[in-house]
Amino acid sequence: MKNISRKFELEVYGKFEGANPTGSFKDRGMSVAVSVAKYLGVKVVVCASTGNTAASMAAYASRAGIKPVVILPKNSVAKGKLAQTIMHGAVLVSLNGLFDDALKVVLELAHRNIAYPLNSINPWRIEGQKTIAYEIIDELGKVDWIIVPVGNAGNITSIWKGLKELKNLGLVENLPRLVGVQASRASPLVKAFQEKSLIFEPVEEPKTIASAIRIGNPVHGLRALKVVYESNGVLIDVSDEEILWAQKVLARLEGLGVEPASATTIAGLRKLVEEGVITHGEKVVVVLTGHGLKDPEIALKHGIESYEASSVSEAVNIVSKITR
Ligand SMILES: *Cc1c(COP(=O)(O)O)cnc(C)c1O
């Protein structure tokens, strides 16, 4: 990313996951996990989701002839993701509760053998998602930092698994340090990291505009802390204002439309450069996890310069005035 690199005096690369079939990195894990479900003869799959897992599972399961059932926390799923989930034919259960409650439903259904669970507790999801690491190292070789948004922390653990496999195979010598970014009011792991602990306290009511990481009790929280310590990495948090700033920077400096959760990476990068943790000239990859069209409402609400014109001549006048 030329302009962002210049801005931060770094070598910054974006791993853009918005071009996957349903517009997020979730497709990587879902492709593998649904293939396994089909192989096992599963008839019904289920997931809890803040949106992208549901959209991806619906698409892959329908294609495989398996019935997708999604459990969504009521009123907290971005419009684009909801539209995809419906379009791809999932049965939708809207639960009056949080993501963590939706996940409890999934665990109970799995326990009773009613449906096969496709949340990232399913190890095949992790196997698919680790390919992000393969691709980064394949294209760039040595990298100093990889920055990833953290919700349930499946992705950051997947990436570390992929990196370690490459190292064990002798395909890369020095592994990048991992940065996990959480939203300030949904950041249980950051607090644990600051105390150098492996024990984290769940956040009861997580809040952030970045709905994909609005998670209070990360499923892979312990593993995420371990991989961050092992990689000599960092966990930090960023505010909603910083996220919106970063979303605009990506959209306007690089022409990359990403959803708020993905923009946390650039907000985190700015913070770490300011703090002197990431230093000039280093090679950094930010994982841009989901497409900007996933959440059109956020974009519409924030930062547009717009005018109303009731006639052709008025529209022409407005534009000629503001471009003067
Ligand atoms: C799922 C998701 C995340 C969070 O990933 P985890 O594996 O839950 O940490 C971040 N960004 C987007 C766009 C997502 O869909």
Side-chain angles (χ1 to χ4, degrees), residues 53-68:
T53 300
S56 184
M57 188 189 82
Y60 283 84
S62 291
R63 169 68 164 77
I66 300 171
K67 192 180 191 66

Side-chain angles (χ1 to χ4, degrees), residues 210-319:
S211 56
I213 53 170
R214 195 185 290 141
I215 303 286
N217 188 12
V219 173
H220 298 282
L222 172 61
R223 248 190 261 182
L225 285 163
K226 281 186 182 165
V227 306
V228 167
Y229 293 133
E230 194 182 335
S231 79
N232 194 20
V234 189
L235 274 159
I236 53 163
D237 65 307
V238 293
S239 69
D240 281 0
E241 290 69 34
E242 291 169 313
I243 293 171
L244 289 170
W245 169 84
Q247 192 183 33
K248 269 188 223 162
V249 166
L250 281 159
R252 296 175 190 185
L253 287 188
E254 298 293 346
L256 288 172
V258 305
E259 63 170 286
S262 313
T264 60
T265 55
I266 289 294
L269 174 64
R270 174 169 74 168
K271 231 177 190 175
L272 292 175
V273 169
E274 279 170 9
E275 289 173 6
V277 178
I278 295 180
T279 52
H280 293 317
E282 287 193 298
K283 200 174 189 177
V284 182
V285 176
V286 295
V287 182
L288 304 173
T289 46
H291 200 286
L293 289 173
K294 291 281 192 176
D295 198 345
E297 282 175 308
I298 293 287
L300 289 171
K301 243 186 269 171
H302 299 277
I304 14 169
E305 191 180 354
S306 74
Y307 304 87
E308 297 279 333
S310 54
S311 67
V312 171
S313 61
E314 197 187 340
V316 171
N317 279 340
I318 290 169
V319 176

